[in-house]
Amino acid sequence: MNVDTLILGAGAAGLMCAAHAGGRALVVDHARAAGEKIRISGGGRCNFTNLHVSAANFHSANPHFCKSALGRYTQWDFLDLMGRHNIPWHEKTLGQLFCDNSSKDVTAMLRAEAEAGGAQIWLETAIDGITRTDGRFRVELVRAGKAVTVTARALVVATGGKSIPAMGATGLAYRIAERFGLPVTETRPALVPLTFGGPLLERLKPLAGLSVEAEVSCNGAAFREGLLFTHRGLSGPSILQISSHWREGDALSVRLASGPDLLAELRARRRTDGRKALSTVLAGRLPARLAALMVEEAGLAGNLADQSDRALTALVDCLTDWRLTPTGSEGYRTAEVTLGGIDTDALDARTLEARAVPGLHFIGECVDVTGWLGGYNFQWAWSSGWAAGTAIAATKRAA
């Protein structure tokens, strides 16, 4: 079977590319359904983009690489596409946009766009081998138990990273890159809960299920969002965000309350409520279980009247700079994305084509471009898929 474009992966980036590649395009995926990550995202409502997308919201060894694709296919372009398909949406916190109804609306829209562009979609299809001869790619597939050979002028790798292996993630894109001599940066789980061990975990366990607003900092980055205590450590948006900056051995700084205001308040309350337990007074600002733990973390006990200015300052220091060192993360099992990937130095920023292998494109999560939590990674999928697809279509027209 001969096609113009073969796209490996029927996820967000792959379907977007298929919608714009034109000509005879074939999309293949080993899953039973297209867009599985779209389906589960946002609690089934798909956080499909963010109002505040910019290159500053992405991690990459080359922070400028994503600017071209993001600047040429923006969040407003995707909203226009949603509007043309009459898909209602709403904004939640921090510019995050979700479907009103179901994430399946986004998948159906992308499938319709791809098929309208002439693309075929083969599901439950395995990749058995890839070679390149005389400027064309030869891919051995297995479909319905039968071997199928497909040749294509353009090959687009949109198979994602290593995150959520239960949904079929394998890191195939990195092996394909290495097969064609492209470098791959270090990869690690990102947007992932962090875990703790030893005595610290035992102190945190009673707080499991508790959620608070907190600013979490590490390695020069800081995020103020929800923080969730779990049976194994910490999760919630602030932790998922900071996990992209955390490395083994690094301590987190957790700011649970403001410093000067709290210190002044505690000093004033010492005069009026001195007979109350320190943890009881602090529970006016924090959940009671957390307040009790923070008093212990500061090495204090007793009533508010018993605390010196030095003791109250130590408590406020703990509340504004609680140092916690994770032992690890929940790993790819629960990571929303993979940090790192195909080295952007090997790719053209406008077309996502490999500089040394004409016709070979890498898009989406497999590239060393990783967004913040909140719809940014889907926007990279749309933008990079569009950039590769339109570049392929333009090359075909020029030929």
Side-chain angles (χ1 to χ4, degrees):
M1 179 177 179
N2 298 316
V3 298
D4 296 313
T5 306
L6 177 59
I7 301 169
L8 308 182
L15 291 175
M16 192 66 171
C17 181
H20 295 277
R24 295 170 300 161
L26 174 64
V27 185
V28 301
D29 200 299
H30 62 80
R32 293 182 179 181
E36 281 292 85
K37 264 198 169 181
I38 298 173
R39 178 181 62 81
I40 68 168
S41 71
R45 295 285 183 88
C46 188
N47 179 194
F48 58 85
T49 192
N50 195 292
L51 293 177
H52 308 305
V53 171
S54 76
N57 307 117
F58 293 84
H59 306 273
S60 176
N62 178 358
H64 302 291
F65 180 84
C66 62
K67 290 180 178 179
S68 176
L70 292 174
R72 290 182 297 129
Y73 190 89
T74 70
Q75 62 269 43
W76 312 114
D77 293 311
F78 196 78
L79 285 174
D80 180 65
L81 178 62
M82 295 276 284
R84 295 201 304 271
H85 284 261
N86 299 308
I87 299 176
W89 53 272
H90 59 278
E91 178 186 357
K92 284 191 177 180
T93 183
L94 302 174
Q96 300 167 11
L97 304 187
F98 291 77
C99 297
D100 283 358
N101 300 319
S102 169
S103 56
K104 294 178 181 178
D105 292 343
V106 175
T107 304
M109 173 187 74
L110 293 171
R111 287 200 63 154
E113 288 285 310
E115 290 166 356
Q120 294 184 64
I121 300 174
W122 288 3
L123 300 172
E124 298 184 273
T125 301
I127 301 165
D128 203 34
I130 302 173
T131 56
R132 183 172 183 268
T133 306
D134 297 329
R136 290 186 69 85
F137 296 91
R138 179 186 176 94
V139 181
E140 307 297 336
L141 303 173
V142 178
R143 187 186 188 211
K146 297 181 179 179
V148 181
T149 299
V150 177
T151 64
R153 183 193 59 77
L155 178 66
V156 182
V157 182
T159 54
K162 300 176 181 177
S163 58
I164 317 183
M167 296 188 65
T170 63
L172 173 64
Y174 312 133
R175 297 194 295 275
I176 295 173
E178 290 167 351
R179 159 73 180 79
F180 287 99
L182 275 66
V184 178
T185 70
E186 177 195 6
T187 56
R188 57 185 293 118
L191 302 184
V192 64
L194 298 177
T195 57
F196 295 80
L200 176 57
L201 178 59
E202 294 307 310
R203 298 200 302 275
L204 295 178
K205 274 184 178 180
L207 302 181
L210 196 66
S211 180
V212 295
E213 184 88 357
E215 181 179 284
V216 183
S217 307
C218 186
N219 291 324
F223 296 92
R224 184 168 188 82
E225 295 187 62
L227 181 150
L228 173 67
F229 293 89
T230 72
H231 289 290
R232 289 170 51 82
L234 297 175
S235 187
S238 62
I239 294 296
L240 299 186
Q241 294 277 38
I242 209 66
S243 70
S244 297
H245 298 266
W246 176 80
R247 295 295 181 272
E248 286 74 5
D250 292 341
L252 307 179
S253 172
V254 179
R255 184 183 184 91
L256 294 168
S258 58
D261 292 344
L262 179 57
L263 182 58
E265 179 185 329
L266 290 172
R267 284 172 170 166
R269 294 283 297 275
R270 186 171 55 188
R271 294 190 295 270
T272 60
D273 297 304
R275 293 183 179 180
K276 291 184 179 181
L278 180 56
S279 58
T280 300
V281 174
L282 191 58
R285 286 214 176 209
L286 297 173
R289 284 181 289 161
L290 180 57
L293 175 64
M294 297 313 298
V295 170
E296 293 177 10
E297 291 288 295
L300 304 178
N303 294 334
L304 181 54
D306 301 328
Q307 314 304 322
S308 65
D309 281 357
R310 177 178 294 181
L312 293 181
T313 299
L315 175 61
V316 170
D317 288 345
C318 190
L319 291 167
T320 56
D321 187 16
W322 187 21
R323 293 288 174 143
L324 301 171
T325 302
T327 55
S329 79
E330 292 288 2
Y332 288 114
R333 180 179 63 85
T334 60
E336 295 199 13
V337 291
T338 303
L339 188 71
I342 314 302
D343 194 328
T344 56
D345 285 348
L347 304 177
D348 185 298
R350 289 189 61 82
T351 65
L352 283 298
E353 185 176 24
R355 297 182 186 279
V357 188
L360 179 62
H361 302 251
F362 291 87
I363 59 176
E365 184 185 349
C366 69
V367 179
D368 178 27
V369 175
T370 306
W372 288 8
L373 182 73
Y376 297 97
N377 287 292
F378 272 129
Q379 185 58 48
W380 171 245
W382 316 139
S383 298
S384 61
W386 176 91
T390 53
I392 290 168
T395 299
K396 184 176 181 297
R397 287 194 300 271

